[in-house]
Amino acid sequence: MIRVAVIGGSGYTGGELLRLLAVHPKVEVTYVTSREYAGKPISLVHPNLRGFYSMNFSQFSWDRIGDKADTVFLALPHKVSLEYVPKLLEMGLQVVDLSADFRLKDPEKYKLWYGYEHPYPDLLKKSVYGIPELHYEELKGAKLIASPGCNATATILAAAPLVSSGLLDIYKLVSDVKVSSSEGGAKPTEGSHHPERQNAIRPYDADGHRHAAEAEQELSILAKREVKVSLIPHAVSSVRGAFASVHGWLSTSVPELEFWKKVVDFYKNRKFIRIIRGNIHPYPDTKYVIGSNYADVGFAIEERINRITMFSAIDNLMKGAAGQAVQAFNISQGFDETEGLKLPPLRPA
Amino acid sequence: MIRVAVIGGSGYTGGELLRLLAVHPKVEVTYVTSREYAGKPISLVHPNLRGFYSMNFSQFSWDRIGDKADTVFLALPHKVSLEYVPKLLEMGLQVVDLSADFRLKDPEKYKLWYGYEHPYPDLLKKSVYGIPELHYEELKGAKLIASPGCNATATILAAAPLVSSGLLDIYKLVSDVKVSSSEGGAKPTEGSHHPERQNAIRPYDADGHRHAAEAEQELSILAKREVKVSLIPHAVSSVRGAFASVHGWLSTSVPELEFWKKVVDFYKNRKFIRIIRGNIHPYPDTKYVIGSNYADVGFAIEERINRITMFSAIDNLMKGAAGQAVQAFNISQGFDETEGLKLPPLRPA
Amino acid sequence: MIRVAVIGGSGYTGGELLRLLAVHPKVEVTYVTSREYAGKPISLVHPNLRGFYSMNFSQFSWDRIGDKADTVFLALPHKVSLEYVPKLLEMGLQVVDLSADFRLKDPEKYKLWYGYEHPYPDLLKKSVYGIPELHYEELKGAKLIASPGCNATATILAAAPLVSSGLLDIYKLVSDVKVSSSEGGAKPTEGSHHPERQNAIRPYDADGHRHAAEAEQELSILAKREVKVSLIPHAVSSVRGAFASVHGWLSTSVPELEFWKKVVDFYKNRKFIRIIRGNIHPYPDTKYVIGSNYADVGFAIEERINRITMFSAIDNLMKGAAGQAVQAFNISQGFDETEGLKLPPLRPA
Amino acid sequence: MIRVAVIGGSGYTGGELLRLLAVHPKVEVTYVTSREYAGKPISLVHPNLRGFYSMNFSQFSWDRIGDKADTVFLALPHKVSLEYVPKLLEMGLQVVDLSADFRLKDPEKYKLWYGYEHPYPDLLKKSVYGIPELHYEELKGAKLIASPGCNATATILAAAPLVSSGLLDIYKLVSDVKVSSSEGGAKPTEGSHHPERQNAIRPYDADGHRHAAEAEQELSILAKREVKVSLIPHAVSSVRGAFASVHGWLSTSVPELEFWKKVVDFYKNRKFIRIIRGNIHPYPDTKYVIGSNYADVGFAIEERINRITMFSAIDNLMKGAAGQAVQAFNISQGFDETEGLKLPPLRPA
């Protein structure tokens, strides 16, 4: 059994990690911290977990973490992970960081997108970007996993087969993402107030969401050339689920079947990718992945004008956050990547 | 491994059974039938199950069922189960019937509530009403399990500690149930059309829903006297979840803490009952059981006028249908009752 | 043109008043105050009203209110209205108060339900409880209108024909109310956070909601005896709409048609009451009143056990708050009661 | 008073027309037809309209229409309007057609997008495409108004200032539209079944929705060159509201303020266009137009890569259908264009 700590366990991502790890057959959760709720029962914050954890949240302690854990999951805000990761690694612990702090390889990008000078450029080289479908081999034995953002995951998994195909006319993509309210985290805001959020259809960060940085990094590797990605999220009414529609222009007319084969090839043997095509349900739908770690991927081509759109549907807290982190952790430990994640999606939900 | 057949696998209850049984460690699903979809892939109807079943729906065949299955789950409309149950039992198969056809002990009640003369009164005596919290011992080794209705389950689990307490003034209860749209099944109707159903708050069957018959039967056993239950369901906006508010009048002033102890006692050692009380989340909420087999139970007393309301929140497809059926099946087979059901609820969902 | 001020214009009730008064043919809105938003444009807080108001919110000023307004609508929290009402009346202004501060006739009830000694018992005698269907004549020329609470309105309009009928067995009623999120007001809370509120079905104030005080007052008048009401609200997923199911026991078997006539008689000539009965839509539904001032009223009788449930569906911000206040204001001014309220409900919404 | 007939009054567009026309001060509704519901009360199909229409639906009759109406609104399926329009015009009646049958000027486009040979190419020349913001002058006195599609309206109103600006790099636009369930009409389908539709995020007609034909026609006129539009609708959870995000690439870096002025100029004096910009609500949101005829328009520029997205939010049944039809009708009759449409949007809704 791997002894696991969750640092920052009171948010939605922390709660989802706790939900998955509670029934993971190779893991024992030994330590869960929260600044705000230290001393209080986990089930007070996460009423769904009543009966699964008898422990309370702890205040984080450097003295105890080493005794308590082999692996540390960090579900912390951006920039806060920086305070933990280097020392945890020095202590010999494995780190799965769900913040953005170690996702980008190029330290310059932190200035550009996050507005700060990255203090550990060497660690950026060592961290593995945790999309297993792209970095499976690197994840084996990884000591620092930088788990991707939800909108980035949706965008990258949709666009990867397309940018790899060599069929794009221009290497600028628009990822129009539709996101559910749980993406915004557990803190109430004016915009998350139910009467204001329910039935909304509105963009945010529309002059360029910073998950684009991750998408450009990963898609440029696959394309073997620079790819520009414009990522525009839109708030819609659901609670769980993110959907990316990545729009591009093909350089030539491509029959659907031919492109279909490229997508199937690209994702061959990837256990959490399902490629969607058919008559009744021709495209992915967030409804059919909720509660699971699947990414459903599909596409449409408008032959008249050579427009292609790649689609992906994920559960933003699963494949977009905690589920993908556990998947990457599984691979890093030599477990089957589906360990603790063998759940079919709920339907209807 | 128990070989299991699901008869009527294309509806929501059938789909939920298939979802649970796909990852049940002691079960192999060998046969799934559907009149309408025979010959078509299971994942066509249940896109969430892509990757979990490679088989197609079959047309039911008496010649094959005996070779294929040890246990048969029937997810069929009311009155249709009657055509299957006696012969399946004769063939020596175990039957878990999710219809209403074998739930009521008194054949007269079928005339009153369902409008037909029950053809197998003897089987009514043999069937076990499948709420494990009330019939645990009887379920062991049971050959015919009559799995309860969702509104009945919610009502009975809420009201059971109350009617057992001997504290009621009058033994007439009103169960005001709030139900999600998946309760209505997978067939589109005018009332289930999204623009008509979303944001609705409206009662139906308000002159007396027939799940009251089950509730009266079970609660009268517990009360050791006749209990009358009026069950009025109301459609609200969610997709999953049923909530019962069972209103009654106490014969005397009862302090909250005293009643609380009675509820705790009543449900001692029941693994899928969670009793809710506290400051932040004082009452059950369907949100915290979704995707799980839990029934969260609670209550409120208005001392001023001795009114008591018992509450229960369930996932109508889980504890209200497929989950409870699997739980009862587990007990009947001597498995731990949580086998295949060890899932914490989703949150947020 | 009546010059109207809205004091406390930044909440949902204030916003709804502004929406209605903006197009009311006999009203000019001259003064809108908000402590928090003084100096800021009305449309900043109420983006729906872009183009309807060019004015900013003001800080309330006793020096200006007299010059600015003939009638003052108070959309203030409970207890805050107390600071305004007496002096406004002294200044000769008409007051329509949407708080609870002048709804109850008996000052003792303020101690019991609201926990304070009412400082103006004389004004309680003078105020008119603003349900026009019950107090039409008193509203004519009224200088102080106490506009009712939404849950009270729903409960009273449902129960009024029942308690007046003389057919109840016991004069204790349970009003099980289902409420939308806008009832909670415009301030974000943990419970109103979209991921926590959407898909919820949960009671609150379940040991007795204080709108019961209003309901008991009004229904006792109608019954000509003491009526006890237990009011239990339940949060459900929608944004607008409140639905009351008022459960009682009849003293005798009453045919539906007979009771139907009593309801029709009771609400004869009431322009904003619609009595619902029929095959396709047999009961009220919040969906069919949204955006309007209608209360749809209906009922169901379970003859088997003489249970009756009276139903009402209202838009909580309209007939439950701002719409009803405008209706009462119209009557007080001698206008047609439908002035500025002639809007059919939206469908679908 | 103009005597108005609504042909095809039982669907959502017909119902919305009836809702608006019931309180339109210059209109009398004299005739409402429905094949399916002839002889039945209007309020049976549209329960929101109880109390507004005492008449029944009629079977359409050529003998009666001439006596009954001056203006005929056709809320009929595509291709069915063809059977009515020429003869109604011959009879001297004004026609406002809400189908697609007279929207496209080039008969070839009907072959391409709708698969039929248009039988009345001459009438295509005479019809006026009913977006008043683009065709105000032509609408005056128009005898045949072709009222636009909802997705086309959203796309065109968003993109019009952009294509007119001369700032586009390539004249191919992607309109990623998010649509509510009422767009699909009043007939239940598998996809509109509440449990399947609620919480969905899924594209449809993703290889090219045919409203693109209208958008290309109108935007090419404005751009004075050929504009290609790819229109991809996505079903999201709400009941009302359509949101278009029209993505394009600018030929040069354009400061936000400069572009802002162009948009303001473009829509100068247009009463139903509101241009959105600011800190708290920087972009349009369907929430703030529901129940009204407004189109809220905005944009975002990602300067880093010269990507621009134009946004529009409309109520699909109002500005996207019935409201816009009434607006165009008002202009055609010489009325103020806001007649019968002076309603602020609901909030929250």
Side-chain angles (χ1 to χ4, degrees):
Chain A
M1 298 291 268
I2 311 283
R3 293 170 313 145
V4 163
V6 175
I7 310 304
S10 68
Y12 286 154
T13 300
E16 191 75 347
L17 280 168
L18 291 172
R19 185 175 76 86
L20 294 172
L21 296 172
V23 292
H24 192 294
K26 306 213 165 157
V27 156
E28 185 190 6
V29 178
T30 53
Y31 194 51
V32 183
T33 78
S34 161
R35 280 182 199 178
E36 190 174 352
Y37 295 99
K40 295 200 173 141
I42 286 176
S43 64
L44 188 82
V45 175
H46 303 300
N48 60 319
L49 298 180
R50 285 168 185 141
F52 286 88
Y53 288 93
S54 51
M55 76 176 92
N56 287 357
F57 287 109
S58 300
Q59 200 72 47
F60 179 82
S61 154
W62 283 110
D63 294 337
R64 298 184 62 203
I65 186 75
D67 297 337
K68 284 285 192 181
D70 307 307
T71 296
V72 181
F73 286 80
L74 300 178
L76 295 166
H78 302 318
K79 288 200 69 177
V80 180
S81 284
L82 288 173
E83 304 165 19
Y84 291 82
V85 170
K87 193 158 166 194
L88 290 170
L89 291 173
E90 269 173 44
M91 293 170 79
L93 303 179
Q94 185 192 30
V95 177
V96 182
D97 178 23
L98 285 91
S99 85
D101 289 351
F102 293 90
R103 291 180 194 155
L104 304 180
K105 295 299 168 191
D106 178 356
E108 291 301 308
K109 300 291 184 190
Y110 281 96
K111 271 186 234 163
L112 180 63
W113 290 95
Y114 291 88
Y116 70 89
E117 186 100 24
H118 200 286
Y120 307 107
D122 283 1
L123 285 182
L124 295 181
K125 286 180 202 147
K126 289 185 192 153
S127 78
V128 180
Y129 188 74
I131 294 194
E133 289 72 21
L134 303 183
H135 299 285
Y136 194 93
E137 292 301 321
E138 294 160 73
L139 283 168
K140 291 181 184 167
K143 296 300 276 180
L144 173 54
I145 297 170
S147 206
C150 46
N151 294 333
T153 297
T155 300
I156 292 167
L157 291 176
L162 175 60
V163 299
S164 306
S165 73
L167 292 166
L168 276 178
D169 188 18
I170 54 170
Y171 280 75
K172 296 195 292 190
L173 297 171
V174 171
S175 181
D176 186 307
V177 186
K178 293 85 182 164
V179 304
S180 301
S181 63
S182 60
E183 253 196 31
K187 289 281 167 224
T189 65
E190 305 231 332
S192 78
H193 188 48
H194 184 274
E196 301 300 327
R197 185 64 171 71
Q198 181 61 11
N199 299 325
I201 309 178
R202 64 170 174 250
Y204 62 92
D205 291 351
D207 49 3
H209 186 277
R210 53 199 191 184
H211 281 187
E214 298 169 44
E216 291 188 345
Q217 168 180 290
E218 296 298 312
L219 295 174
S220 295
I221 294 170
L222 290 168
K224 298 181 183 118
R225 52 173 291 177
E226 192 176 32
V227 178
K228 290 297 182 194
V229 177
S230 199
L231 197 161
I232 306 111
H234 296 74
V236 297
S237 286
S238 28
V239 172
R240 273 196 186 222
F243 192 96
S245 308
V246 184
H247 305 291
W249 301 102
L250 294 170
S251 56
T252 175
S253 178
V254 183
E256 272 215 8
L257 188 62
E258 188 182 314
F259 196 76
W260 161 258
K261 285 179 189 158
K262 285 184 188 294
V263 180
V264 170
D265 260 14
F266 187 87
Y267 282 125
K268 200 165 46 190
N269 301 326
R270 302 276 65 95
K271 290 183 184 171
F272 285 113
I273 304 288
R274 303 191 298 191
I275 302 167
I276 308 305
R277 199 158 177 261
N279 295 320
I280 296 183
H281 303 284
Y283 306 114
D285 186 338
T286 52
K287 279 199 81 76
Y288 303 133
V289 297
I290 297 306
S292 83
N293 198 47
Y294 288 95
D296 282 3
V297 171
F299 69 94
I301 294 173
E302 186 166 6
E303 287 192 58
R304 185 179 69 96
I305 52 176
N306 288 341
R307 188 260 313 165
I308 187 166
T309 305
M310 297 287 308
F311 301 114
S312 74
I314 61 172
D315 180 326
N316 55 297
L317 290 171
M318 289 290 294
K319 187 67 181 171
Q324 183 155 259
V326 170
Q327 181 192 1
F329 160 80
N330 283 338
I331 296 165
S332 76
Q333 295 286 347
F335 304 152
D336 187 286
E337 66 181 313
T338 66
E339 203 70 82
L341 298 168
K342 293 190 183 82
L343 308 171
L346 288 185
R347 170 171 178 276
Chain B
M1 299 292 270
I2 312 284
R3 294 170 309 144
V4 163
V6 175
I7 310 305
S10 67
Y12 285 154
T13 300
E16 191 75 347
L17 280 169
L18 292 172
R19 186 177 76 86
L20 294 172
L21 297 172
V23 293
H24 192 294
K26 306 212 164 157
V27 155
E28 186 190 4
V29 178
T30 53
Y31 194 51
V32 183
T33 76
S34 161
R35 281 182 199 177
E36 190 175 351
Y37 296 98
K40 296 202 173 141
I42 286 175
S43 64
L44 188 82
V45 174
H46 304 299
N48 60 318
L49 298 180
R50 285 168 185 139
F52 286 86
Y53 288 94
S54 51
M55 77 176 91
N56 286 358
F57 287 109
S58 299
Q59 200 71 47
F60 179 82
S61 152
W62 284 110
D63 295 336
R64 298 185 61 205
I65 186 74
D67 298 336
K68 283 284 191 182
D70 307 307
T71 297
V72 181
F73 285 81
L74 300 179
L76 295 167
H78 301 319
K79 289 200 69 175
V80 180
S81 284
L82 289 174
E83 304 166 20
Y84 291 82
V85 171
K87 191 157 167 195
L88 290 170
L89 291 173
E90 269 173 43
M91 293 169 79
L93 304 179
Q94 184 193 30
V95 176
V96 182
D97 178 23
L98 285 92
S99 85
D101 289 350
F102 293 90
R103 291 179 194 156
L104 304 180
K105 295 297 167 193
D106 178 358
E108 291 301 308
K109 301 290 185 190
Y110 281 96
K111 270 187 233 163
L112 181 63
W113 290 95
Y114 290 89
Y116 69 89
E117 185 100 26
H118 200 287
Y120 307 106
D122 283 359
L123 285 181
L124 295 181
K125 287 179 201 150
K126 289 184 193 155
S127 78
V128 180
Y129 189 72
I131 293 195
E133 289 73 19
L134 303 184
H135 299 285
Y136 194 93
E137 292 302 320
E138 296 160 71
L139 283 168
K140 290 181 183 166
K143 296 300 277 181
L144 173 55
I145 297 170
S147 207
C150 45
N151 294 332
T153 297
T155 299
I156 293 167
L157 291 176
L162 176 59
V163 299
S164 306
S165 72
L167 292 165
L168 275 178
D169 188 19
I170 53 171
Y171 279 75
K172 296 195 290 188
L173 297 171
V174 171
S175 181
D176 185 306
V177 186
K178 295 85 182 162
V179 304
S180 300
S181 63
S182 61
E183 254 197 30
K187 289 282 166 222
T189 65
E190 304 231 334
S192 78
H193 188 48
H194 184 275
E196 301 300 327
R197 185 63 170 72
Q198 180 62 11
N199 300 324
I201 309 178
R202 65 171 174 249
Y204 62 91
D205 290 352
D207 49 3
H209 186 276
R210 54 198 190 184
H211 281 188
E214 298 170 44
E216 292 188 344
Q217 167 179 292
E218 296 298 312
L219 295 175
S220 295
I221 294 170
L222 290 168
K224 297 184 183 111
R225 53 174 290 178
E226 192 176 33
V227 179
K228 290 297 181 192
V229 178
S230 198
L231 198 162
I232 306 111
H234 297 74
V236 296
S237 286
S238 28
V239 172
R240 272 196 188 223
F243 191 95
S245 308
V246 183
H247 305 291
W249 301 102
L250 294 171
S251 54
T252 176
S253 179
V254 184
E256 271 215 7
L257 188 63
E258 187 183 314
F259 196 77
W260 161 258
K261 283 179 190 157
K262 285 183 187 293
V263 179
V264 170
D265 260 14
F266 187 88
Y267 282 125
K268 200 166 46 191
N269 300 325
R270 301 277 65 95
K271 292 183 183 169
F272 285 113
I273 303 289
R274 303 190 300 191
I275 302 167
I276 307 305
R277 201 162 175 258
N279 295 318
I280 297 184
H281 302 285
Y283 305 114
D285 186 337
T286 51
K287 279 199 79 76
Y288 303 133
V289 297
I290 298 305
S292 84
N293 198 48
Y294 287 95
D296 282 2
V297 170
F299 70 95
I301 294 173
E302 187 166 5
E303 288 192 56
R304 187 178 67 96
I305 51 176
N306 288 340
R307 187 260 313 164
I308 189 167
T309 306
M310 298 288 308
F311 301 114
S312 75
I314 60 172
D315 180 327
N316 56 297
L317 290 171
M318 290 290 293
K319 187 67 181 169
Q324 183 157 260
V326 171
Q327 181 190 1
F329 160 80
N330 284 337
I331 295 165
S332 76
Q333 294 286 345
F335 304 152
D336 187 285
E337 67 181 313
T338 66
E339 204 69 85
L341 298 169
K342 294 190 182 80
L343 307 171
L346 288 184
R347 173 173 177 272
Chain C
M1 296 293 268
I2 312 284
R3 294 169 312 144
V4 163
V6 175
I7 310 304
S10 67
Y12 286 153
T13 300
E16 192 75 347
L17 281 168
L18 292 172
R19 184 175 77 87
L20 294 172
L21 297 171
V23 294
H24 192 293
K26 306 210 165 159
V27 155
E28 184 190 5
V29 178
T30 53
Y31 195 49
V32 183
T33 78
S34 160
R35 281 181 198 176
E36 189 174 352
Y37 295 98
K40 296 200 172 141
I42 286 175
S43 65
L44 188 82
V45 174
H46 303 299
N48 60 318
L49 298 180
R50 286 169 185 139
F52 286 87
Y53 287 94
S54 52
M55 76 176 91
N56 287 356
F57 287 109
S58 300
Q59 200 72 48
F60 179 82
S61 153
W62 285 109
D63 294 338
R64 300 184 61 205
I65 186 75
D67 297 337
K68 284 286 191 180
D70 307 307
T71 296
V72 181
F73 285 80
L74 300 178
L76 294 167
H78 301 319
K79 289 199 68 177
V80 180
S81 283
L82 289 174
E83 305 166 18
Y84 291 81
V85 172
K87 193 160 168 194
L88 291 170
L89 291 173
E90 269 173 42
M91 295 169 77
L93 304 179
Q94 184 193 31
V95 177
V96 182
D97 179 21
L98 286 90
S99 84
D101 289 350
F102 294 89
R103 291 179 194 155
L104 304 180
K105 295 298 167 192
D106 178 357
E108 291 301 308
K109 301 290 185 192
Y110 280 96
K111 269 186 237 164
L112 180 65
W113 290 95
Y114 290 89
Y116 70 89
E117 185 100 24
H118 201 285
Y120 307 106
D122 282 0
L123 285 181
L124 296 181
K125 288 179 200 147
K126 290 183 192 154
S127 78
V128 180
Y129 188 73
I131 294 195
E133 288 73 19
L134 304 183
H135 299 284
Y136 193 94
E137 291 302 320
E138 295 160 70
L139 284 168
K140 290 181 184 167
K143 296 301 277 180
L144 172 55
I145 296 170
S147 207
C150 45
N151 295 332
T153 298
T155 298
I156 293 166
L157 291 176
L162 176 59
V163 299
S164 306
S165 72
L167 292 166
L168 273 179
D169 188 19
I170 55 170
Y171 280 75
K172 296 196 291 188
L173 297 171
V174 171
S175 181
D176 185 306
V177 185
K178 294 85 183 163
V179 305
S180 300
S181 63
S182 61
E183 253 196 31
K187 288 282 168 225
T189 65
E190 304 232 332
S192 79
H193 188 48
H194 184 274
E196 302 300 326
R197 186 63 170 71
Q198 180 62 11
N199 300 324
I201 309 178
R202 63 170 174 250
Y204 63 91
D205 291 351
D207 49 3
H209 186 276
R210 56 200 190 181
H211 282 188
E214 298 169 43
E216 292 188 346
Q217 168 179 292
E218 296 298 313
L219 295 174
S220 295
I221 295 170
L222 290 168
K224 299 186 182 111
R225 52 173 292 179
E226 192 177 34
V227 178
K228 290 297 180 193
V229 178
S230 199
L231 197 162
I232 306 111
H234 297 73
V236 297
S237 286
S238 27
V239 171
R240 271 194 188 225
F243 191 97
S245 308
V246 184
H247 305 290
W249 302 102
L250 294 170
S251 55
T252 175
S253 179
V254 184
E256 272 215 7
L257 189 61
E258 186 182 316
F259 196 77
W260 161 258
K261 284 178 190 159
K262 286 183 188 292
V263 180
V264 169
D265 259 14
F266 187 88
Y267 282 126
K268 199 166 46 190
N269 300 325
R270 302 276 65 97
K271 291 183 184 170
F272 286 113
I273 304 288
R274 304 190 299 190
I275 301 167
I276 307 307
R277 200 160 175 260
N279 296 319
I280 296 184
H281 303 285
Y283 306 115
D285 185 337
T286 51
K287 281 200 78 76
Y288 303 132
V289 297
I290 297 304
S292 84
N293 197 48
Y294 288 96
D296 282 2
V297 170
F299 68 95
I301 293 173
E302 187 167 4
E303 289 193 57
R304 185 178 70 95
I305 50 177
N306 287 342
R307 188 259 313 165
I308 187 167
T309 305
M310 297 288 307
F311 302 114
S312 76
I314 60 171
D315 180 326
N316 55 298
L317 290 171
M318 290 291 292
K319 186 67 181 170
Q324 183 156 258
V326 171
Q327 181 191 2
F329 160 81
N330 284 337
I331 296 164
S332 76
Q333 294 286 347
F335 304 152
D336 187 286
E337 66 181 312
T338 66
E339 203 70 84
L341 298 168
K342 293 191 184 79
L343 307 171
L346 288 184
R347 172 171 178 273
Chain D
M1 298 292 268
I2 312 284
R3 296 170 308 144
V4 163
V6 175
I7 310 304
S10 67
Y12 285 153
T13 300
E16 192 75 347
L17 281 168
L18 292 172
R19 184 175 76 87
L20 295 172
L21 297 171
V23 293
H24 192 294
K26 306 210 165 159
V27 155
E28 185 191 5
V29 178
T30 52
Y31 195 50
V32 183
T33 77
S34 161
R35 280 182 199 178
E36 191 174 350
Y37 295 98
K40 297 202 172 139
I42 286 175
S43 64
L44 188 82
V45 173
H46 303 300
N48 61 319
L49 299 179
R50 285 167 184 141
F52 286 87
Y53 287 94
S54 51
M55 75 175 93
N56 287 357
F57 287 109
S58 299
Q59 200 71 48
F60 179 83
S61 151
W62 284 109
D63 294 337
R64 300 185 60 205
I65 187 74
D67 297 337
K68 284 284 190 182
D70 307 306
T71 296
V72 180
F73 286 80
L74 301 178
L76 294 167
H78 302 318
K79 289 199 70 177
V80 180
S81 283
L82 289 173
E83 304 165 19
Y84 292 81
V85 171
K87 191 157 168 196
L88 290 169
L89 291 173
E90 268 173 44
M91 293 169 78
L93 304 179
Q94 184 193 29
V95 177
V96 182
D97 178 23
L98 285 91
S99 83
D101 289 351
F102 293 89
R103 292 180 192 154
L104 304 180
K105 295 298 168 191
D106 178 357
E108 291 301 309
K109 300 289 185 192
Y110 281 96
K111 269 187 237 165
L112 181 62
W113 290 94
Y114 291 89
Y116 70 89
E117 185 100 23
H118 200 287
Y120 307 106
D122 281 2
L123 285 181
L124 295 181
K125 285 180 202 148
K126 289 182 192 156
S127 77
V128 180
Y129 188 73
I131 293 194
E133 288 73 19
L134 303 183
H135 298 285
Y136 194 94
E137 292 302 321
E138 295 160 72
L139 283 167
K140 291 180 182 167
K143 297 300 276 180
L144 172 56
I145 297 170
S147 207
C150 46
N151 295 332
T153 297
T155 299
I156 292 166
L157 291 176
L162 176 59
V163 300
S164 305
S165 72
L167 291 166
L168 275 177
D169 188 19
I170 54 171
Y171 280 74
K172 295 195 293 191
L173 297 171
V174 171
S175 181
D176 186 304
V177 186
K178 294 86 182 161
V179 304
S180 299
S181 62
S182 60
E183 253 196 31
K187 289 280 167 227
T189 65
E190 305 232 331
S192 79
H193 188 47
H194 184 274
E196 302 300 326
R197 185 62 170 72
Q198 181 63 10
N199 301 324
I201 310 177
R202 64 170 174 249
Y204 62 91
D205 290 351
D207 50 2
H209 186 275
R210 54 202 190 181
H211 282 186
E214 297 170 44
E216 292 188 345
Q217 168 180 292
E218 296 298 312
L219 295 174
S220 294
I221 293 169
L222 290 168
K224 297 181 182 118
R225 50 173 295 177
E226 192 177 33
V227 179
K228 289 298 182 193
V229 178
S230 199
L231 197 162
I232 306 110
H234 296 73
V236 296
S237 286
S238 27
V239 172
R240 271 195 189 224
F243 191 96
S245 308
V246 183
H247 305 290
W249 301 102
L250 294 170
S251 56
T252 175
S253 178
V254 184
E256 270 215 9
L257 189 62
E258 188 182 315
F259 196 77
W260 161 259
K261 284 178 189 159
K262 286 184 188 292
V263 180
V264 170
D265 260 14
F266 188 88
Y267 282 124
K268 200 166 45 191
N269 300 327
R270 301 276 65 96
K271 292 182 183 170
F272 285 114
I273 304 288
R274 303 190 300 190
I275 301 166
I276 308 306
R277 200 161 175 258
N279 295 319
I280 296 184
H281 302 286
Y283 306 114
D285 186 337
T286 51
K287 279 199 81 75
Y288 303 133
V289 297
I290 297 305
S292 84
N293 197 48
Y294 288 95
D296 282 2
V297 171
F299 68 95
I301 293 172
E302 187 166 5
E303 288 193 57
R304 186 177 68 96
I305 51 177
N306 288 340
R307 187 260 312 166
I308 189 167
T309 305
M310 298 290 306
F311 301 114
S312 75
I314 61 171
D315 180 327
N316 55 297
L317 290 171
M318 289 290 294
K319 187 66 181 170
Q324 183 156 259
V326 171
Q327 181 191 2
F329 160 80
N330 283 337
I331 297 165
S332 75
Q333 295 285 346
F335 303 152
D336 187 285
E337 66 181 311
T338 66
E339 204 69 85
L341 298 169
K342 293 189 184 82
L343 308 171
L346 289 184
R347 170 172 178 274

